[in-house]
Amino acid sequence: SLTLLLCCSFFLAGFCSAVCVEVPSETEAVQGKDMKLLCISCMKREEVTASTVVEWFYRPEGGKDEPIYEYRNKNHEFPSRFSGRLQWNGSKDMQDVSITVLNVTLNDSGVYTCNITREFEFEIHRPLFTSSRLIHLTVVEEAGEDFTSVISEIMMYILLVFLTLWLLIEMVYCYRKVSKAEEAAQENATDYLAIPSENKENCAVPVEE
């Protein structure tokens, strides 16, 4: 029925709505491969209107932080050991401000810092908020079996199964609720038709909201 369709469509829309999750970056790269340095800084819905500046720094073991990349209305790559090997992977809403290091070398091991500065555009004031993400990257010559990634994949499949079952349960509950409402309406209509015509003038069929 139309009521069931609307009910389930509303549920599915809420279930499938996009969300922002601050997932930590991987910390191990393989020599000669590309490595995405994941940096996600979620904003609340009412905070979306904001100008964002992103700064990436690299610090070798025993060294100091040096700027390697910046996003300030446009991309800017600083002269460094990464020159020509950095690629912007940020999203349009500037919640994902990740970069990718191309053709990783053993010398790229170290600490990467992602600094995010947001200036929110409210009517009365324009507050500034800053946040940082640290990534301790280790570069290896060959990829080995990553027990953590295997566990993560298993947990992901378990979560998908759980969410699927939950979705089915909610749809069944929604269907039963609508069916009971329709049965109650039919019973009321039947009871009304069974009343003698001379008594119908003083009787009103109840309407469920």
Side-chain angles (χ1 to χ4, degrees):
S1 65
L2 179 60
T3 307
L4 173 63
L5 178 61
L6 291 175
C7 177
C8 295
S9 297
F10 175 77
F11 172 77
L12 289 172
F15 179 79
C16 298
S17 59
V19 294
C20 176
V21 181
E22 295 186 3
V23 182
S25 176
E26 294 185 5
T27 57
E28 184 176 281
V30 180
Q31 181 182 15
K33 303 293 185 179
D34 297 342
M35 176 63 186
K36 183 176 181 179
L37 302 175
L38 193 62
C39 182
I40 299 177
S41 178
C42 297
M43 292 184 291
K44 297 179 181 179
R45 183 168 297 180
E46 63 271 14
E47 296 176 343
V48 172
T49 305
S51 57
T52 304
V53 175
V54 182
E55 298 172 304
W56 278 92
F57 294 87
Y58 168 73
R59 183 174 74 246
E61 184 177 355
K64 297 181 179 180
D65 284 333
E66 57 181 81
I68 59 174
Y69 203 88
E70 179 183 77
Y71 185 94
R72 192 188 299 265
N73 296 324
K74 63 179 181 179
N75 303 326
H76 175 65
E77 183 177 341
F78 291 95
S80 67
R81 70 176 69 190
F82 302 98
S83 295
R85 294 195 296 125
L86 297 179
Q87 178 178 291
W88 174 255
N89 284 133
S91 58
K92 292 182 179 180
D93 60 8
M94 296 302 292
Q95 297 198 85
D96 183 352
V97 291
S98 307
I99 61 173
T100 295
V101 181
L102 306 176
N103 192 22
V104 174
T105 69
L106 294 175
N107 292 330
D108 293 339
S109 296
V111 179
Y112 295 79
T113 304
C114 170
N115 291 337
I116 307 104
T117 303
R118 300 192 194 279
E119 182 179 8
F120 294 103
E121 301 174 3
F122 297 110
E123 294 181 359
I124 301 176
H125 60 299
R126 300 171 67 91
L128 285 174
F129 294 93
T130 60
S131 60
S132 295
R133 304 285 186 274
L134 292 180
I135 302 172
H136 297 264
L137 184 67
T138 301
V139 181
V140 297
E141 294 183 359
E142 296 181 357
E145 291 188 8
D146 189 351
F147 180 75
T148 303
S149 64
V150 174
I151 295 298
S152 299
E153 289 183 4
I154 294 175
M155 293 301 296
M156 180 187 66
Y157 287 122
I158 293 175
L159 180 61
L160 287 175
V161 172
F162 172 77
L163 291 176
T164 302
L165 292 176
W166 179 59
L167 175 60
L168 291 175
I169 292 172
E170 289 291 335
M171 292 182 67
V172 171
Y173 171 77
C174 180
Y175 174 78
R176 288 182 176 179
K177 186 174 181 181
V178 173
S179 297
K180 288 181 179 180
E182 291 179 348
E183 290 176 0
Q186 291 177 358
E187 290 177 359
N188 291 332
T190 302
D191 293 341
Y192 177 75
L193 293 175
I195 299 174
S197 57
E198 61 272 13
N199 295 331
K200 288 184 179 179
E201 295 179 357
N202 299 323
C203 179
V205 178
V207 179
E208 289 188 4
E209 296 182 356

